[in-house]
Amino acid sequence: MELQLPPELEAGLTRLAAQSGLTVDQLALDLLANSIEHDEWFRNEVEKGRRSAREGTLFDHQDVVARINAPSS
């Protein structure tokens, strides 16, 4: 697979690669892999929320605020 990058995106990759000590190809692959992993995680979390909504197992606002404000254990 080959990608045509806009010049400003290629310049950004080149700059970040130089700063991180990676090659442009290594950095691009890392960024793409992380993006795919995040997208899959996000879509799964959205589906969990949708499933909860369909099942009627949602938290009301006060419960959410209480969970946020509860001390961590």
Side-chain angles (χ1 to χ4, degrees), residues 9-28 31:
L9 186 54
E10 186 174 353
L13 277 173
T14 301
R15 186 179 62 256
L16 289 173
Q19 291 171 355
S20 64
L22 298 171
T23 66
V24 172
D25 287 349
Q26 289 171 323
L27 178 64
L31 290 171

Side-chain angles (χ1 to χ4, degrees), residues 36-50:
I36 290 169
E37 288 172 13
H38 180 269
D39 188 70
E40 289 173 342
W41 169 84
F42 182 79
R43 289 172 187 265
N44 286 333
E45 293 301 306
V46 168
E47 185 51 39
K48 285 182 194 176
R50 291 173 137 178

